[in-house]
């Protein structure tokens, strides 16, 4: 029962993200979202430090003095830009702010396979390329075509940043652990946010403005549950699939809540990518 509730919580919290971030995308500078997101992620992670501090040491060396630290740091910088691009797209189109996932997943798979030589069977490589093609098709024929020029540029940046995040995850786990991969990028993202947007919003508003409070909490709780589920409940592939499922569910919710797209198109791409993703993660 606990495993089921954990999985359901991941799907629910990740599916809520684009909708709780929507008000912030319309009222705040896009880059501010990474600021309040990182602050709330760190606040909620503070109680875990007394129990997880040992994860900051890799083979008796503080993680910042290991060669693998470059990947979590790079992910933190990428996350800052990812949040900014995501809010630009989310302001215009909810579907576009989540459907980057299938395209970036295919791009990351290509890079990790052919550049970093991470093993991937020919069948899975073929499936992920097909999934990526479905994503591009949705962008061309679906809601992507309704984005402005700025939105299309942001969508491209979103795909590149998301792919870089996936690559950093794949390479980081070889040298560090999932706790480091949560804390270090979050701290790095916060520092980038302070440097670039710290003067644009007061820290106090993170706790007093309702839509910022909701967005920050839902994001942070979702990340913490996801990270610890991979430690104690699910294999990594199951956790990643649950996130992918939530993102496809958003296409259906976007139709019913935001009145985006046509019902057939939204449902077709949502169910199709879940079906293909299942075979990619769990097929043989």
């Amino acid at each position: 029962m606990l495993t089921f509730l954990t999985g359901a919580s991941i799907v629910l919290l990740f599916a809520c993200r684009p909708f709780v971030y929507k008000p912030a995308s319309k009222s705040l500078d896009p880059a501010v979202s990474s600021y309040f997101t990182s602050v709330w992620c760190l606040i909620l992670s503070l109680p875990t430090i007394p129990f997880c501090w040992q994860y900051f040491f890799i083979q008796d060396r503080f993680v910042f003095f290991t060669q693998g630290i470059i990947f979590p740091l790079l992910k933190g910088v990428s996350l800052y830009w990812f949040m900014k691009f995501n809010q630009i797209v989310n302001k215009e189109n909810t579907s576009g702010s989540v459907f980057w996932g299938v395209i970036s997943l295919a791009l990351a798979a290509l890079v990790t396979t052919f550049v970093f030589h991470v093993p991937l069977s020919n069948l899975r490589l073929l499936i992920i390329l097909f999934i990526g093609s479905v994503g591009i098709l949705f962008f061309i024929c679906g809601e992507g075509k309704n984005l402005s020029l700025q939105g299309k540029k942001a969508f491209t940046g979103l795909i590149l940043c998301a792919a870089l995040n996936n690559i950093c995850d794949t390479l980081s786990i070889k040298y560090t652990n999932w706790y480091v991969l949560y804390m270090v990028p979050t701290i790095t993202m916060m520092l980038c946010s302070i440097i670039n947007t710290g003067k644009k919003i007061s820290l106090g508003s993170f706790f007093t403005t309702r839509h910022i409070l909701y967005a920050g909490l839902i994001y942070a709780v979702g990340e913490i549950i996801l990270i610890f589920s991979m430690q104690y409940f699910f294999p990594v592939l199951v956790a990643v699939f649950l996130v992918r499922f939530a993102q496809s569910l958003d296409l259906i919710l976007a139709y019913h809540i935001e009145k985006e797209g046509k019902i057939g198109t939204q449902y077709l791409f949502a169910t199709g990518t879940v079906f293909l993703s299942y075979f990619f993660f769990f097929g043989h």
Side-chain angles (χ1 to χ4, degrees), residues 164-226:
L164 181 57
N165 292 343
N166 288 335
I167 293 167
C168 287
D169 284 346
T170 301
L171 300 177
S172 292
I173 205 62
K174 295 173 61 177
Y175 300 102
T176 60
N177 53 65
W178 284 110
Y179 192 70
V180 168
L181 199 49
Y182 173 81
M183 294 294 289
V184 174
T186 301
I187 294 171
T188 306
M189 178 170 64
M190 185 181 70
L191 293 176
C192 290
S193 302
I194 291 172
I195 293 170
N196 291 283
T197 65
K199 295 181 179 179
K200 295 183 179 181
I201 190 169
S202 67
L203 191 62
S205 64
F206 297 175
F207 310 96
T208 57
T209 305
R210 184 176 298 176
H211 66 265
I212 292 178
L213 180 65
Y214 289 163
L217 279 174
I218 286 175
Y219 186 102
V221 172
E223 286 296 311
I224 288 176
I225 293 177
L226 179 69

Side-chain angles (χ1 to χ4, degrees), residues 77-79 81-82 85 104 156-166:
V77 176
S78 178
L79 277 174
W81 288 102
F82 171 86
F85 291 139
S104 65
T156 302
L158 199 54
I159 292 171
L160 295 176
C161 287
L164 181 57
N165 292 343
N166 288 335

Side-chain angles (χ1 to χ4, degrees), residues 238-257:
V238 173
V240 174
F241 175 75
L242 290 173
V243 174
R244 177 64 258 153
F245 177 78
Q247 291 172 334
S248 292
L249 181 62
D250 280 328
L251 295 183
I252 297 173
L253 294 175
Y255 171 78
H256 291 286
I257 297 175

Side-chain angles (χ1 to χ4, degrees), residues 50-69:
F51 306 99
C52 301
W53 62 269
Q54 68 272 18
Y55 290 116
F56 287 118
F57 293 87
I58 311 295
Q59 296 180 346
D60 298 325
R61 295 176 64 194
F62 187 49
V63 68
F64 280 92
F65 298 108
T66 64
Q67 63 176 352
I69 192 61

